[in-house]
Amino acid sequence: MILRNRFINAATRGLLQSLVDGRPVRTTRVSHRTVPAATTSSANGTIVVVPRFERYRLAGVLAVISLLAACTSAPPAQPGPVTETNGPAGPVPGGLERFYGQPLTWGDCVPFATSDSTRSAFGAPGLQCTRLSVPLDYARPDGPSITLGVLRQKASGDRIGSLVVNPGGPGASGMASAASQAETVASGELGQRFDLVGFDPRGVGASQPAVRCLTDAERDADRSDDSESDGSPQGVTRQETESKQLGEKCVQRTEHGAAMLANIGTRDVVRDLDVLRSALGDEKLTYLGYSYGTRIGYSYAEAFPGNVRALVLDGALDPEQDSIDSLVAQGAGFGKAFGEFTRWCVAQQDCALGTDPDAAIGAFQQLVRPLIDNPAQAGERRLSFEDATTGAVQALYSQQLWDVLNTGLNELKRQQGNTLLKLADAYNERGADGSYSTTQDAFLAVRCVDDPRVTDRAAVAEAHRRYAEVAPFLDDGRSGGAALDACAFWPVPNTSQPHTPKVGGLPPVLVVSTTGDPATPYAAGVNLAKALGGKLVTFEGTQHTVFLQGNRCVDKAGTDYLVDGTLPAENTRCSGSK
């Protein structure tokens, strides 16, 4: 069984509170792992545990966890719209002058909301939103255009420029991430010196058009169906038929169809980011990327090295790893995090996995494997094996959810699946009304063009074997067939592939990597810093991403660098203490 790589942040304090006592809350996150929470926050991203081989998706549900339906009063009235023309700024590629110099009309953010939680967050005072127009296809700038949703909180002091943030995914909302970070950032030096800006990449969130593949009912059905555990020839045929149909549905249900899917990858997102930089009036880009957002950052650095002012990349992807190696590396990260969880759990009086850490994997498997044939009751719904393991993975993003995971596993011992299903819903961004964000659709669409498709069945089978070896707690125990995933049948070709970025002329960058990061292993950050010739800050902890989440050591290093370019000392290490 294989877990989709998800590259976003982890779980927010708001999610933790909701899962513990059921109270609706307004989430506070920081980048992909939303910023100001004691834990990493996850944005719109979905980790789905599936036997078929699938690539990155992470980790972490950032800004808006649709599990939470906030009961709030009407947001305060916002000032009327204001139009600004700050571009063009910096170099302008030929034929794109109207995009680089476009005026932006800033106004109320609430109309940009795509869920109850973003509606609450976007109503906060001081937030302004606009739409940025970009070409659908940069090879045809005079052809159709699309729009990106953009959110900002203006600097309160001596302004340097804009700090553009992306939480990861792919498919997570940068608008939601920035909104959740806004209050914390405003209280510090970054809020004084920078406009905080978040954008929804093409096809994501408030950007138009959004990628759409599955209906809410179809996604519910997909999650409840554990047919991926069927490795028989008939099972493989069924899985591959569904994978082919999924790509066809994406074409049919997304405006501009195949043309949108062909131009949705990171290659095109970085060009949009340069248009945004110019329209904001910034000669050079100051950027903060978490998780998959680090790929956007280093890809921008390769495409526009002379346009970079500063990059902070936290929870990095290794630019040289192919999809299989990256997937297995992420599996190893979750395997390590599960080991840390079990060592904590067996010291608790009520540990659902017993008292012997060496027997914990077997105890976990005994709880979740029977769900393949006999799902557990979870209110009016049922908990599948996929949802149970997805819920466990969601909790491993942050130590603050370990107690929630233990509660869910104890419930499962009584054949009840409520808590684990809530975790899986948060991961998949399913609202209380049964509606889903389009994060998973965008994740799939980007993933399928960001890397070469894998069509070698032997390679798929070997990926299954390696993944089960490094993350045995997720192994379903069934003999797996080598079913190809949706990307193997994707209707458009890939537009990127793994490689060492060529970044001649790039100013120094700052990479932050966490020793016990379950989603983006520490070594990936080491490798990225080396590839970019940047400085590395090591955080000793077990969570996904850390900058702007309350660790003074990391926050000072990042803030000093963003404000005045001061890099930390060589081999800087920060501990888990604040």
Side-chain angles (χ1 to χ4, degrees):
M1 105 150 293
I2 293 295
L3 174 70
R4 289 181 189 165
N5 274 6
R6 145 183 160 172
F7 297 116
I8 58 185
N9 279 287
T12 67
R13 188 180 313 166
L15 171 60
L16 176 63
Q17 175 181 319
S18 173
L19 291 170
V20 169
D21 60 25
R23 287 179 286 159
V25 299
R26 173 181 169 189
T27 59
T28 58
R29 303 172 283 129
V30 79
S31 71
H32 230 345
R33 222 9 337 357
T34 301
V35 56
T39 71
T40 51
S41 59
S42 6
N44 298 8
T46 29
I47 273 187
V48 179
V49 180
V50 292
R52 55 189 173 226
F53 171 70
E54 311 215 13
R55 168 108 150 102
Y56 294 140
R57 202 255 189 259
L58 197 197
V61 200
L62 203 212
V64 205
I65 297 186
S66 28
L67 160 68
L68 317 168
C71 303
T72 62
S73 57
Q78 299 292 332
V82 56
T83 299
E84 299 175 0
T85 302
N86 295 317
V92 178
L96 298 175
E97 291 82 2
R98 69 184 179 97
F99 296 103
Y100 275 65
Q102 66 185 285
L104 297 177
T105 299
W106 298 92
D108 185 7
C109 290
V110 172
F112 289 75
T114 57
S115 68
D116 287 340
S117 55
T118 48
R119 191 167 296 109
S120 172
F122 288 6
L127 301 183
Q128 298 175 306
C129 289
T130 190
R131 290 200 173 277
L132 178 79
S133 180
V134 295
L136 169 62
D137 181 352
Y138 277 93
R140 299 176 56 227
D142 293 330
S145 61
I146 59 177
T147 65
L148 312 183
V150 183
L151 177 147
R152 79 173 175 187
Q153 175 178 260
K154 298 187 75 172
S156 61
D158 185 10
R159 180 182 181 275
I160 294 173
S162 305
L163 173 59
V164 181
V165 300
N166 181 274
S173 167
M175 296 179 71
S177 175
S180 67
Q181 295 171 280
E183 186 175 353
T184 295
V185 170
S187 65
E189 187 175 10
L190 291 180
Q192 297 169 12
R193 306 303 304 277
F194 292 98
D195 294 348
L196 178 67
V197 176
F199 74 103
D200 284 357
R202 52 176 57 207
V204 172
S207 293
Q208 297 176 345
V211 175
R212 300 188 182 279
C213 301
L214 295 183
T215 66
D216 295 338
E218 288 171 336
R219 197 164 296 286
D220 269 347
D222 181 65
R223 286 176 56 187
S224 64
D225 180 9
D226 283 323
S227 62
E228 291 92 348
S229 294
D230 182 1
S232 68
Q234 296 83 0
V236 169
T237 297
R238 175 187 170 186
Q239 292 171 52
E240 293 188 351
T241 298
E242 292 176 350
S243 291
K244 294 174 186 176
Q245 293 172 345
L246 179 55
E248 294 167 358
K249 290 176 180 177
C250 293
V251 171
Q252 295 165 1
R253 296 171 179 175
T254 299
E255 186 180 345
H256 300 303
M260 184 69 182
L261 299 185
N263 294 284
I264 199 171
T266 304
R267 176 199 67 178
D268 299 283
V269 171
V270 301
R271 301 196 69 174
D272 295 342
L273 183 55
D274 199 52
V275 173
L276 175 61
R277 172 200 59 73
S278 175
L280 292 171
D282 293 335
E283 294 281 338
K284 294 182 181 292
L285 175 72
T286 303
Y287 175 82
L288 168 60
Y290 297 85
S291 204
Y292 160 80
T294 66
R295 181 166 184 167
I296 295 175
Y298 69 68
S299 298
Y300 182 92
E302 181 172 38
F304 304 101
N307 293 358
V308 171
R309 176 186 172 274
L311 302 178
V312 173
L313 306 177
D314 184 2
L317 307 191
D318 188 331
E320 298 182 6
Q321 277 188 330
D322 65 24
S323 58
I324 290 180
D325 287 342
S326 182
L327 177 70
V328 173
Q330 190 181 74
F334 282 114
K336 179 180 178 182
F338 184 79
E340 295 291 333
F341 163 73
T342 59
R343 280 187 283 278
W344 167 87
C345 186
V346 298
Q348 313 305 308
Q349 289 186 343
D350 64 341
C351 180
L353 303 180
T355 59
D356 181 2
D358 293 333
I361 291 176
F364 180 85
Q365 291 172 337
Q366 288 174 13
L367 286 174
V368 299
R369 285 179 174 179
L371 299 173
I372 296 173
D373 300 313
N374 298 292
Q377 198 67 40
E380 297 181 355
R381 298 164 63 199
R382 308 278 283 178
L383 178 73
S384 64
F385 172 83
E386 176 180 316
D387 276 341
T389 48
T390 297
V393 165
Q394 170 65 54
L396 293 177
Y397 273 95
S398 169
Q399 295 182 47
Q400 292 199 10
L401 287 177
W402 285 1
D403 190 61
V404 178
L405 175 56
N406 187 45
T407 296
L409 294 175
N410 273 312
E411 287 179 357
L412 189 54
K413 294 172 77 171
R414 303 189 297 272
Q415 298 301 306
Q416 295 296 314
N418 291 346
T419 296
L420 289 176
L421 190 62
K422 286 181 180 180
L423 283 165
D425 282 349
Y427 189 99
N428 287 286
E429 296 187 26
R430 183 187 194 270
D433 61 355
S435 64
Y436 287 87
S437 75
T438 59
T439 296
Q440 289 199 50
D441 295 336
F443 159 69
L444 176 67
V446 174
R447 183 176 66 83
C448 288
V449 297
D450 262 9
D451 293 286
R453 61 187 68 197
V454 179
T455 58
D456 182 344
R457 296 182 189 280
V460 173
E462 177 64 4
H464 281 255
R465 185 197 66 77
R466 292 172 60 195
Y467 198 95
E469 189 175 81
V470 297
F473 75 104
L474 294 174
D475 184 6
D476 60 14
R478 305 292 176 100
S479 57
L484 303 179
D485 74 346
C487 293
F489 307 101
W490 204 240
V492 297
N494 62 292
T495 55
S496 301
Q497 60 185 10
H499 66 281
T500 301
K502 299 177 178 61
V503 291
L506 180 70
V509 303
L510 182 63
V511 177
V512 181
S513 198
T514 299
T515 56
D517 190 322
T520 51
Y522 174 72
V526 175
N527 294 340
L528 180 60
K530 181 179 179 181
L532 299 180
K535 281 291 181 69
L536 175 70
V537 169
T538 295
F539 174 67
E540 297 172 346
T542 303
Q543 64 185 63
H544 181 46
T545 75
V546 62
F547 181 53
L548 294 182
Q549 295 170 45
N551 184 277
R552 287 193 296 269
C553 174
V554 175
D555 289 353
K556 184 179 189 308
T559 299
D560 288 349
Y561 164 72
L562 288 171
V563 170
D564 58 26
T566 301
L567 287 163
E570 198 74 30
N571 301 319
T572 294
R573 300 183 75 88
C574 299
S575 70
S577 62
K578 301 300 180 184

